[in-house]
């Protein structure tokens, strides 16, 4: 298997109610919904889609996917720091 396929690409899915529709500022940070951390983008997107669709009646509720692997390994060499 190629080195790219063996990389662990962690993604965080979380969301909450926004103060307004123009900014990514949450109404109450203590009430953020941490959906989970996923091993790949596909799994994270599936979880994100499920949560986003379940809150479609609340226009201020938003869910996001954060690419954790980009924070843990910013240069992409597979090593910390």
């Amino acid at each position: 298997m190629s080195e790219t396929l063996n990389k662990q690409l962690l993604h965080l899915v979380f969301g909450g109610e926004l103060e307004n529709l123009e900014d990514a500022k949450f109404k109450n940070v203590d009430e953020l919904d941490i959906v989970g951390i996923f091993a790949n983008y596909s799994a994270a997107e599936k979880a994100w889609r499920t949560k986003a669709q379940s809150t479609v009646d609340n226009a201020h509720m938003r869910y996001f996917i954060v690419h954790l692997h980009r924070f843990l390994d910013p240069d992409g060499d597979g090593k910390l720091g």
Side-chain angles (χ1 to χ4, degrees), residues 67-81:
H67 300 265
L68 290 179
H69 60 93
R70 293 181 184 165
F71 292 100
L72 297 171
D73 181 17
D75 58 4
D77 67 358
K79 298 177 183 174
L80 292 176

Side-chain angles (χ1 to χ4, degrees), residues 3-30:
E3 188 175 321
T4 303
L5 294 176
N6 286 329
K7 285 188 177 181
Q8 189 176 58
L9 303 177
L10 298 177
H11 295 80
L12 165 67
V13 177
F14 79 102
E17 193 166 7
L18 300 178
E19 286 187 358
N20 63 64
L21 299 177
E22 290 80 38
D23 301 315
K25 184 174 181 184
F26 294 100
K27 205 178 230 184
N28 187 344
V29 175
D30 293 331

